[in-house]
Amino acid sequence: KEQGVQPLIGFAVPFGLYLISNWFMYGSPIEPFITGNKVISTAGLWLYLKPWWFYLAELIKENIFMLLAPFGAYVALQTPHRTRTLLVSLSVLLLMYFTNLPHKEVRFMILFFPLLLVLAAGGTVALADKLRPDHRVALLVVLGFVWLLLIQGGMQYYTIYEYQPPAGLDSYYT
């Protein structure tokens, strides 16, 4: 029990001091969160206004193995455990929150990308466990080639989004 409390204290002390300083500086402990949410919801929106599937496409562009994250989530929920349920729930909630924001950027994925990678790894391991041992090597080779061809082959540079204001660049600079 003591091991689980120490990291919590290590987080709670600086975070508590942060909230207290916000209270003195802004009159509310959560004011920076509210203001930050307003900024990412409205500032420069034309540049970051993306479709609802933006993060799904970007996750796959960043790592093709993200396709196995839903399978990993399914496997994680088959054997209920508090940590696994928390991992899946937090991943889904963060992905839903950022998907619903009108302002979408790849850098926002840093909050849920590691969680989804853990789920994708779980999906990969579960898939490998379903195969016979001699087929596991073949799966590893195929996944390696897919990763090499799609991700390292330039897919991360491909974009399907328009980075211009709705009325054109001339309207932005005048």
Side-chain angles (χ1 to χ4, degrees):
K1 292 236 182 223
E2 191 172 307
Q3 286 181 333
V5 173
Q6 288 175 347
L8 186 60
I9 292 172
F11 171 78
V13 169
F15 188 66
L17 292 173
Y18 173 72
L19 292 177
I20 291 169
S21 68
N22 286 346
W23 193 6
F24 285 113
M25 292 174 64
Y26 307 112
S28 168
I30 60 170
E31 181 61 32
F33 300 109
I34 295 169
T35 304
N37 194 29
K38 286 179 186 175
V39 168
I40 64 172
S41 296
T42 59
L45 196 55
W46 64 267
L47 185 58
Y48 304 107
L49 193 59
K50 306 288 185 267
W52 67 267
W53 44 266
F54 172 79
Y55 288 117
L56 300 176
E58 292 298 323
L59 285 167
I60 294 168
K61 281 172 46 180
E62 292 297 323
N63 190 326
I64 192 70
F65 297 115
M66 283 295 186
L67 290 171
L68 294 170
F71 183 61
Y74 172 76
V75 170
L77 293 176
Q78 290 304 305
T79 53
H81 187 271
R82 189 172 45 172
T83 306
R84 292 177 184 167
T85 305
L86 181 63
L87 174 67
V88 173
S89 301
L90 193 56
S91 300
V92 170
L93 286 174
L94 286 171
L95 186 59
M96 285 174 42
Y97 172 74
F98 284 103
T99 299
N100 284 321
L101 284 178
H103 183 143
K104 295 176 180 69
E105 292 186 56
V106 174
R107 66 187 176 125
F108 295 159
M109 291 188 330
I110 194 74
L111 294 171
F112 54 87
F113 192 75
L115 302 172
L116 292 173
L117 280 176
V118 170
L119 291 175
T124 306
V125 169
L127 182 63
D129 286 345
K130 300 270 186 213
L131 297 175
R132 293 191 332 235
D134 56 326
H135 289 173
R136 291 179 187 165
V137 174
L139 174 68
L140 183 62
V141 170
V142 168
L143 290 177
F145 276 121
V146 167
W147 177 77
L148 187 64
L149 292 173
L150 292 178
I151 299 302
Q152 301 308 318
M155 186 176 170
Q156 70 268 24
Y157 300 111
Y158 175 72
T159 184
I160 55 176
Y161 310 107
E162 185 67 36
Y163 291 105
Q164 292 186 14
L169 285 176
D170 293 336
S171 67
Y172 182 69
Y173 291 112
T174 56

